[in-house]
Amino acid sequence: MQLIYAESAAILLGFALHGLLPGRAFSGVLLLPAVAGAACAIVWVALTWAGVGEGLLIWAASLGAAVLSAAGLGVPLRRSRRRTEQERLAAVA
């Protein structure tokens, strides 16, 4: 049951990262929340299978993985898309 709450928190953190990270116009609104939700679910289930009880450790690891994976994907992706767009605009001009 707590997985549902953790997923909701991870998705909300993904939306927050979408707004906070630079280059918001270079990625879709749902990309970072989807990545954060997937990372949270994977870590939560892995720790559950490993026998870690429901407590602070599983919450911190799952939400930490959500934030790190969304930011780790969002920043380089947006830089790459910005650079690609600038190159294409320079080729046209």
Side-chain angles (χ1 to χ4, degrees):
M1 181 67 182
Q2 288 188 14
L3 176 58
I4 295 171
Y5 300 131
E7 279 295 306
S8 299
I11 290 169
L12 288 174
L13 287 171
F15 278 118
L17 284 173
H18 173 73
L20 293 174
L21 293 176
R24 170 178 27 198
F26 295 101
S27 68
V29 174
L30 297 178
L31 178 66
L32 297 184
V35 169
C40 177
I42 290 168
V43 170
W44 186 283
V45 171
L47 289 176
T48 300
W49 285 351
V52 176
E54 294 177 355
L56 183 61
L57 175 64
I58 196 167
W59 277 91
S62 297
L63 294 179
V67 169
L68 290 176
S69 63
L73 175 76
V75 171
L77 177 74
R78 290 176 177 186
R79 283 184 191 154
S80 172
R81 287 184 176 180
R82 180 181 292 134
R83 184 177 54 249
T84 302
E85 184 174 304
Q86 289 173 350
E87 290 170 358
R88 288 182 180 176
L89 286 174
V92 171

